[in-house]
């Protein structure tokens, strides 16, 4: 009797066109709490499992030739969650960063945290600084983690910074255009995502990368984040490759 082996999908599946892959994928990792609840476990179990999913997605993007990934780890609204969950998440981010830094270096990952980082616990800020500094010259996949991130907050802080420059006479009102505005965003220098994936069925942007997602294709799956895997990414990419991207033209 032959035993059916699970498909591992180490390489880009042959039904995908390697010349038409998104150059940057953004993910809203939703459904961790529900995943845990369905198993009668505390919500934090879902977040813990979610880290493994994110790690494999990052590797998968690298393996399949997708050069940038951004994950929504904590929104400016997430402070409204129960205190124990917020504290758990902060500790989890710190622990994961400390644990994974060596491996990220070995795998040539360049990490950037985007969001209002100054409001995070100081021990987490220290790990974030260290990981960004240590990996800044790496040349592999660009991995961005949105932490204490809100799209509106990002746009407002850019406006304030630009207004301040105008006030100081360093730039003129006429100098303000989309290219200049870009320079004040947390994501400056990173090409905008072509594809947004949201797990667990909700059809919302939830204040994620409002400026940067202007022309992104959106793919929503019912799968809960901890269950998202390479086959799910394969399906998202097949769907993406069937879309006609017109950028407002005919
Ligand atoms: C949303 O699910 C998930 C989060 C708010 C946290 C996601 C964070 C991780 C997976 C950890 C990432 C770690 C690093 C270091 C980048 P939910 O709790 O809203 O789920 P629910 O909608 O089912 O309640």
């Amino acid at each position: 009797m032959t035993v059916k082996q699970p498909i591992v999908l180490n390489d880009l599946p042959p039904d995908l066109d390697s010349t038409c892959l998104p150059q940057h994928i953004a993910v809203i990792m939703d459904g961790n709490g529900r995943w845990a609840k369905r198993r009668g476990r505390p919500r934090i179990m879902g977040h813990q499992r979610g880290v493994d999913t994110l790690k494999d997605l990052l590797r998968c993007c690298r393996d399949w030739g997708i050069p940038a990934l951004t994950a929504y780890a904590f929104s400016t609204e997430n402070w409204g969650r129960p205190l124990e969950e917020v504290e758990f998440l902060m500790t989890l981010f710190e622990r994961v960063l400390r644990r994974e830094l060596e491996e990220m270096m070995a795998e040539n990952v360049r990490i950037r945290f985007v969001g209002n980082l100054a409001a995070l616990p100081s021990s987490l800020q220290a790990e974030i600084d260290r990981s960004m500094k240590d990996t800044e010259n790496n040349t592999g996949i660009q991995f961005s983690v949105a932490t204490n991130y809100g799209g509106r907050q990002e746009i407002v802080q850019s406006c304030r910074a630009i207004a301040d420059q105008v006030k100081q006479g360093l730039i003129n009102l006429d100098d303000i255009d989309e290219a200049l505005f870009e320079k004040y965003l947390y994501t400056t220098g990173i090409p905008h995502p072509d594809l947004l994936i949201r797990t667990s069925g909700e059809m919302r942007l939830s204040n994620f990368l409002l400026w940067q997602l202007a022309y992104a294709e959106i793919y929503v799956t019912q799968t809960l984040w901890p269950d998202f895997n390479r086959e799910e990414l394969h399906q998202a990419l097949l769907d993406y490759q069937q879309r006609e991207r017109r950028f407002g033209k005919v």
Side-chain angles (χ1 to χ4, degrees), residues 57-202:
L57 178 62
L58 182 65
R59 286 218 170 97
C60 187
C61 286
R62 181 207 54 195
D63 293 348
W64 293 4
I66 295 160
L69 175 71
T70 297
Y72 204 3
F74 194 87
S75 74
T76 46
E77 290 73 33
N78 285 156
W79 295 108
R81 292 187 174 216
L83 183 63
E84 317 84 76
E85 186 172 339
V86 169
E87 284 179 351
F88 177 84
L89 282 169
M90 295 298 147
T91 312
L92 179 71
F93 298 153
E94 199 176 317
R95 208 173 52 223
V96 168
L97 266 184
R98 203 172 299 128
R99 189 181 72 202
E100 303 295 334
L101 183 57
E102 203 179 320
E103 219 167 312
M104 285 195 288
M105 288 303 291
E107 297 189 16
N108 203 15
V109 175
R110 194 164 19 142
I111 193 167
R112 184 190 298 185
F113 279 77
V114 297
N116 177 12
L117 306 180
L120 296 171
S122 53
S123 53
L124 174 57
Q125 284 186 51
E127 282 309 322
I128 286 176
D129 285 349
R130 190 160 76 102
S131 66
M132 290 205 288
K133 277 200 192 88
D134 285 7
T135 65
E136 73 185 347
N137 294 320
N138 287 352
T139 53
I141 188 164
Q142 169 70 56
F143 178 40
S144 307
V145 186
T147 312
N148 194 21
Y149 176 87
R152 289 181 178 172
Q153 186 270 337
E154 178 182 37
I155 290 169
V156 170
Q157 71 81 34
S158 305
C159 290
R160 291 175 83 108
I162 293 169
D164 188 57
Q165 299 278 297
V166 174
K167 196 167 134 199
Q168 290 186 53
L170 297 170
I171 52 176
N172 295 317
L173 215 49
D174 293 342
D175 297 332
I176 303 172
D177 58 10
E178 290 187 16
L180 181 117
F181 196 79
E182 241 346 291
K183 294 200 176 104
Y184 290 84
L185 295 172
Y186 297 130
T187 54
T188 185
I190 301 172
H192 297 166
D194 310 293
L195 172 64
L196 169 70
I197 298 174
R198 180 165 189 153
T199 55
S200 92
E202 250 85 53

Side-chain angles (χ1 to χ4, degrees), residues 46-60:
H47 298 316
Q48 239 155 1
R49 190 57 86 90
V51 174
D52 299 335
T53 302
L54 183 56
K55 254 184 92 168
D56 193 54
L57 178 62
L58 182 65
R59 286 218 170 97
C60 187

